Structures are given as C-alpha cells and as structure tokens.
Amino acid sequence: MQQFNADLVSICSHKFHGPKGAAALYVRSPLLPDPIIFGGGHENERRAGTENVAGIIGFVEALERFVPKPVFDRDKIAPLRSSVNQACGQHAGRSVCGRS
C-alpha cells in the first residue's frame, strides 16, 4: 500500500470470484474515519453489526485461490517472524497465535 500512497484501499471479493458483499478495507494507521452506522463497538468503534462469517470465509478462500503464490518469500520473512515472536515473548501475559 505504501507504493500507492493511499490512505484507504477497499478490496471487494467478487472481483476475484468471491462472494458478493464481502470486502476488506485498509486504513492507514493515523487515519480515524468517522463511523456511518452506529451500534456495537466493533473494530475500535468503526463498525456496527455482526460479522458475515460465511462471507469472510468465502473471501479468504477466493483470495487464496486467486493468489496461490505467497507475496513474500518464506525464507526472507522467517527472521522477521522470529524476532517478532521473541519480542512478544518478553512481555508477561502475551502470546502469539497463528501458523508457524
């Protein structure tokens, strides 16, 4: 996203054969858009309502099929992953979840 100098980027799953209505929104860190629908305090008070779990799963599945090759080389990212895991492990009560 840095190369485009974008503050907001939306990704719609139907553009790569995913379900309609499922999407992702990239928000640059210091930007805090005002919510347009008020209700539950999801996503740091940015979104109201319940997640569309089936849509999210379809979005991820379609994205994995559309982009079969990882963007980053696993060997190049391994040292970064290791240093992040070590840094997180130094804080009491913290743990790292995800694939190894």
Side-chain angles (χ1 to χ4, degrees):
M1 301 302 158
Q2 299 288 346
Q3 66 189 7
F4 301 118
N5 194 25
D7 292 329
L8 299 165
V9 176
S10 62
I11 304 164
C12 301
S13 69
H14 69 274
K15 296 294 184 182
F16 45 89
H17 307 290
K20 291 182 181 178
L25 177 65
Y26 166 81
V27 180
R28 188 182 294 215
S29 183
L31 186 67
L32 297 172
D34 293 329
I36 57 172
I37 300 174
F38 296 93
H42 305 293
E43 307 286 334
N44 295 323
E45 303 291 328
R46 290 189 193 125
R47 184 183 59 75
T50 304
E51 292 94 351
N52 176 5
V53 177
I56 294 168
I57 292 169
F59 179 98
V60 171
E61 182 67 27
L63 187 61
E64 287 177 345
R65 290 180 183 195
F66 187 74
V67 185
K69 180 181 159 215
V71 176
F72 299 104
D73 184 23
R74 188 171 281 212
D75 295 333
K76 290 182 180 178
I77 206 82
L80 178 60
R81 178 189 295 262
S82 177
S83 64
V84 168
N85 286 340
Q86 284 179 341
C88 290
Q90 293 174 356
H91 299 283
R94 308 271 179 169
S95 61
V96 177
C97 299
R99 298 181 203 170
S100 314

